Amino acid sequence: MNILRFVNAVFIGYLVSSLSTITLSLALPFSNKTESILLASMLSFIIWLVVILYSYSTHNIKRFSLILIVICLILFLLNNYVFGIKG
């Protein structure tokens, strides 16, 4: 189970934080796009820290893995279909 905690903390946590950076940089209503990207990048470090801390503190790691995967899918669908990012 420690391997699954490590995978959740490092790899899936990074995926969640990078997808949230893209989503937040497109969704934040700043007039200057640089400010949106900068704030989204700073918030992504906090998101990744929360995922790392929670992955080592939760008892039900399989449920947490499922929650992270669902969050990744939701952010991916938001980026592709709502904001129109293709890649």
Side-chain angles (χ1 to χ4, degrees), residues 9 30 36 38 44-46 50-51 53-54 64 69 72 78 82:
F30 291 121
S36 303
L38 184 65
S44 73
F45 287 112
I46 296 172
V50 168
V51 170
L53 292 175
Y54 195 73
F64 182 63
I69 291 170
C72 286
L78 271 175
V82 174

Side-chain angles (χ1 to χ4, degrees), residues 4-20:
L4 190 57
R5 290 182 194 275
F6 177 77
V7 168
N8 279 340
V10 175
F11 299 112
I12 301 176
Y14 180 75
L15 183 64
V16 168
S17 67
S18 64
L19 285 171
S20 64

Side-chain angles (χ1 to χ4, degrees), residues 23-53:
T23 307
L24 285 173
S25 65
L26 294 172
L28 288 173
F30 291 121
S31 61
N32 189 359
K33 202 61 167 170
T34 308
E35 292 176 358
S36 303
I37 294 170
L38 184 65
L39 181 62
S41 297
M42 288 189 285
L43 288 175
S44 73
F45 287 112
I46 296 172
I47 291 169
W48 196 9
L49 177 67
V50 168
V51 170
I52 289 171
L53 292 175

Side-chain angles (χ1 to χ4, degrees), residues 34-87:
T34 308
E35 292 176 358
S36 303
I37 294 170
L38 184 65
L39 181 62
S41 297
M42 288 189 285
L43 288 175
S44 73
F45 287 112
I46 296 172
I47 291 169
W48 196 9
L49 177 67
V50 168
V51 170
I52 289 171
L53 292 175
Y54 195 73
S55 69
Y56 282 102
S57 67
T58 186
H59 294 291
N60 196 351
I61 193 66
K62 292 181 183 178
R63 181 175 176 262
F64 182 63
S65 300
L66 184 65
I67 289 171
L68 285 179
I69 291 170
V70 168
I71 289 172
C72 286
L73 287 174
I74 290 171
L75 288 172
F76 177 76
L77 292 174
L78 271 175
N79 290 333
N80 280 335
Y81 298 113
V82 174
F83 296 119
I85 300 296
K86 301 293 180 193

